[in-house]
Amino acid sequence: MANNKSDFLVGLLIGGALGAALALLYAPQSGDETREKLKQKGDELKDKTADTYDKALTRATEVGGTLKEKTTTLASTVKESASSVAARISKRGEHSESEATGA
């Protein structure tokens, strides 16, 4: 679902940029004015892309940190559970040995 949203957003941005470029090319103005407007639109798109990249990088870093914390917690819980099970098995083994020897 998230992939569909990101694909749609990318398509929307590309379509918008192409539409703006075509509108400028067919506008009734001089070539110099058109080139200046294209340069401005390109700069705006570059800035928006940089902002989006920065936001995505920040979010990815946050998610990575959260994932690392949860993984560490899970690993600790599994280790504690394994130790507990091993201790119970060891106690049962000792109990069985003492019954077998008649003590």
Side-chain angles (χ1 to χ4, degrees):
M1 184 77 166
N3 193 22
N4 290 340
K5 288 182 182 179
S6 64
D7 289 346
F8 176 76
L9 182 60
V10 169
L12 184 67
L13 290 174
I14 291 172
L18 289 174
L22 286 174
L24 288 174
L25 290 174
Y26 287 104
Q29 55 195 1
S30 72
D32 289 337
E33 290 174 357
T34 301
R35 282 189 289 279
E36 182 60 32
K37 283 191 176 185
L38 284 173
K39 182 180 179 301
Q40 289 173 354
K41 293 293 183 183
D43 289 343
E44 288 173 15
L45 183 60
K46 178 182 164 189
D47 292 341
K48 287 180 183 179
T49 303
D51 289 343
T52 302
Y53 173 79
D54 290 340
K55 288 177 185 177
L57 183 61
T58 300
R59 181 69 179 134
T61 302
E62 290 170 357
V63 169
T66 301
L67 183 59
K68 182 178 178 181
E69 289 174 19
K70 288 183 178 185
T71 303
T72 302
T73 302
L74 179 61
S76 176
T77 301
V78 168
K79 184 177 178 181
E80 289 172 8
S81 296
S83 295
S84 175
V85 169
R88 279 191 240 151
I89 291 172
S90 178
K91 286 182 182 179
R92 285 185 184 170
E94 290 172 6
H95 181 68
S96 296
E97 277 185 24
S98 64
E99 286 179 355
T101 58

